[in-house]
Amino acid sequence: HLHDKKIYLTINTLLKNSELEQRLYDYLNPFYLEGLDAVIVQDIGVFKLIRDNFPDLHIHASTQMTITGAYGAGILKEAGAERVVPARELSLEEIREIKEKVDIEIETFIHGAMCYCYSGQCLFSSILGGRSGNRGRCAQPCRLPYRVEQGNEQYPLSMKDMCTLNLIPELIEAGIDSFKIEGRMKRPEYAAAVAAAYRKFTDLYYSLGEEEYRAYLR
């Protein structure tokens, strides 16, 4: 806040019933008292507890809530969410439809690692190694090589990283309010360099307009 930045705290994991009541409240309360701007939430139980105990704290719905359309976004808005991070599988047309039908902020993944499963709701890590991605402890088994019988080792589950620098006009025109960069398990220098690149080209689009921006990229 001293540097005029907003602070969002991720609580986007599934909690056990024994963790929901006093433990979550005790964990979150010190951040809230220091002026936390918003929390990112996956668990509906966590959502309700925060809404009941911290009624003026902004809640952002995590991509792991798997919001795929205006109906789900509308329900979350009625429940008190200020922002949704839609499922990563949505097209720009589907994102635009949410924005047109529901007056809610939209934050969308625009760069970084992609999960092979639906919107990050993966059980592979917990099955393979006892570390659940839905508990914030994914071991990224999709990045490992696998071999079928006597075949060569391959990486059938490891997806290419996302990069949308050339799609900035389309992203902005779709009504997206905030760009989300996947930086988990990355060095701070990586996150800083990627954020700076998108800041530069987003500002260029606003200053040049789409036609000149396209010419600049060429």
Side-chain angles (χ1 to χ4, degrees):
H1 286 149
L2 289 174
H3 296 280
D4 195 29
K5 303 300 179 185
K6 291 183 179 180
I7 306 299
Y8 303 152
L9 180 67
T10 54
I11 315 181
N12 58 332
T13 54
L14 301 177
L15 296 191
K16 300 175 182 178
N17 288 342
S18 60
E19 300 167 338
L20 266 177
E21 297 296 338
Q22 198 61 38
R23 287 180 64 184
L24 176 60
Y25 180 89
D26 291 343
Y27 172 77
L28 183 57
N29 193 50
F31 296 100
Y32 172 77
L33 293 176
E34 292 299 331
L36 181 68
D37 294 289
V39 286
I40 306 170
V41 173
Q42 173 190 5
D43 192 310
I44 291 293
V46 171
F47 190 110
K48 185 177 187 307
L49 187 144
I50 293 172
R51 191 75 294 138
D52 291 345
N53 290 275
F54 307 97
D56 58 337
L57 181 59
H58 288 192
I59 298 179
H60 297 175
S62 168
T63 187
Q64 288 173 284
M65 273 195 172
T66 322
I67 302 304
T68 58
Y71 181 75
I75 289 175
L76 284 173
K77 182 185 178 182
E78 289 179 10
E82 279 78 23
R83 177 180 297 187
V84 296
V85 185
R88 303 187 202 187
E89 294 75 19
L90 295 191
S91 66
L92 284 175
E93 289 74 18
E94 290 169 317
I95 293 172
R96 184 182 292 108
E97 182 182 6
I98 293 176
K99 188 65 179 180
E100 290 174 350
K101 292 184 177 180
V102 184
D103 183 20
I104 194 168
E105 293 181 4
I106 294 181
E107 182 173 333
T108 304
F109 280 93
I110 50 92
H111 190 96
M114 293 285 289
C115 187
Y116 82 97
C117 70
Y118 204 89
S119 202
Q121 296 195 29
C122 179
L123 298 176
F124 192 17
S125 181
S126 60
I127 292 171
L128 198 65
R131 293 175 51 185
S132 174
N134 291 290
R135 295 277 289 170
R137 303 178 65 238
C138 179
Q140 294 192 314
C142 56
R143 297 295 189 180
L144 299 177
Y146 295 92
R147 179 169 53 220
V148 179
E149 295 182 349
Q150 303 304 314
N152 297 326
E153 282 192 343
Q154 299 182 28
Y155 295 82
L157 303 178
S158 184
M159 302 180 68
K160 293 180 179 179
D161 281 11
M162 178 193 297
C163 179
T164 63
L165 274 174
N166 62 329
L167 294 175
I168 283 178
E170 289 88 342
L171 294 167
I172 293 173
E173 295 305 320
I176 295 168
D177 298 283
S178 177
F179 291 164
K180 193 173 187 71
I181 294 169
E182 173 63 77
R184 195 176 74 89
M185 299 178 70
K186 296 290 198 303
R187 293 177 61 85
E189 295 84 353
Y190 169 90
V194 174
Y198 278 92
R199 178 75 276 162
K200 172 184 175 180
F201 284 100
T202 299
D203 290 345
L204 271 174
Y205 170 74
Y206 279 123
S207 63
L208 297 178
E210 183 171 352
E211 187 174 340
E212 289 189 40
Y213 176 82
R214 297 287 188 193
Y216 179 88
L217 289 184
R218 288 195 293 269

